[in-house]
Amino acid sequence: MKKKRFVIRTIILLVLAGAVVYTLYANQNKDKVDQVKIGSKAPDFILEDLEGNKHQLSDYEGQGVLLNFWGTFCKPCEKEMPFMDNQYKQFKDQGVQTIAVNVGESELSVKQFVKRHQLSFPVVIDKDDQAQDAYGVNPLPVTFLIDKDGTVVKMHTGELTEEMIKQFMEQIKP
């Protein structure tokens, strides 16, 4: 009887130890998302803008794309949006596009934000975190520069100044 109890306790202890080891391993590696590497092909996605139009990143090949991940709650994001809009107006006819990917907030709050800041570039909402996960985005804001061939040439985490945006757009101009 004692031997049987010992075996059962040992098995339970091994299962618990395995669960602890797995939990520690999973937590340690959860932030190591396959983040996009400079020089690699930009992950494709299809997201809808506020008017219901679909935007597929691969449709922009042949043009440079400033891809910005943001949220309405993010103060640095809010500060850089007017700069992005100014530069979008300067560069859109030169083959450089801007796509702002909201990280899954409500359509109402995003629409109010866009209206308040009078943004003219495409704003899409990543409702299911498809793009955010593909690009390994965290924290906000994060901006990716994608050249005319669809290759990621630069990534910037943090707030952008208008001068930085202008330099970035010059860098990816076809």
Side-chain angles (χ1 to χ4, degrees):
M1 192 69 158
K2 282 186 177 184
K3 190 174 184 179
K4 190 176 181 180
R5 209 178 309 144
F6 175 75
V7 170
I8 291 172
R9 286 180 179 165
T10 303
I11 291 171
I12 291 171
L13 193 60
L14 288 172
V15 168
L16 287 173
V20 168
V21 168
Y22 173 77
T23 302
L24 290 172
Y25 172 79
N27 281 335
Q28 200 165 33
N29 290 312
K30 74 176 180 182
D31 292 333
K32 295 180 183 172
V33 177
D34 285 341
Q35 193 162 26
V36 175
K37 306 253 185 300
I38 304 304
S40 68
K41 188 84 170 161
D44 200 14
F45 59 79
I46 301 174
L47 296 173
E48 269 187 31
D49 66 21
L50 300 172
E51 286 78 44
N53 302 313
K54 293 193 184 310
H55 293 265
Q56 184 165 0
L57 184 62
S58 57
D59 289 345
Y60 290 90
E61 282 197 24
Q63 304 177 69
V65 177
L66 184 130
L67 182 65
N68 179 265
F69 288 84
W70 68 285
T72 61
F73 54 86
C74 165
K75 289 300 174 196
C77 301
E78 185 169 7
K79 198 171 174 187
E80 70 187 8
M81 285 293 172
F83 303 147
M84 286 173 43
D85 197 57
N86 289 342
Q87 293 307 311
Y88 169 72
K89 289 173 183 170
Q90 300 297 313
F91 282 89
K92 69 180 178 179
D93 295 329
Q94 298 178 45
V96 179
Q97 297 299 317
T98 299
I99 303 174
V101 180
N102 178 272
V103 293
E105 294 181 87
S106 77
E107 197 170 314
L108 178 63
S109 63
V110 175
K111 276 184 177 178
Q112 289 173 342
F113 183 94
V114 168
K115 185 177 179 182
R116 184 171 63 245
H117 294 283
Q118 300 176 338
L119 302 177
S120 58
F121 52 81
V123 175
V124 297
I125 301 176
D126 189 12
K127 294 178 181 164
D128 61 0
D129 299 335
Q130 153 198 344
Q132 188 177 358
D133 290 346
Y135 283 80
V137 171
N138 190 22
L140 295 176
V142 176
T143 303
F144 293 88
L145 300 182
I146 302 167
D147 70 11
K148 64 181 176 59
D149 300 318
T151 302
V152 177
V153 294
K154 188 174 184 78
M155 178 190 134
H156 178 83
T157 302
E159 186 179 326
L160 298 171
T161 64
E162 188 152 8
E163 187 56 37
M164 289 168 73
I165 295 168
K166 183 177 182 179
Q167 289 173 1
F168 287 171
M169 289 184 154
E170 286 287 352
Q171 189 177 343
I172 56 174
K173 189 166 67 170

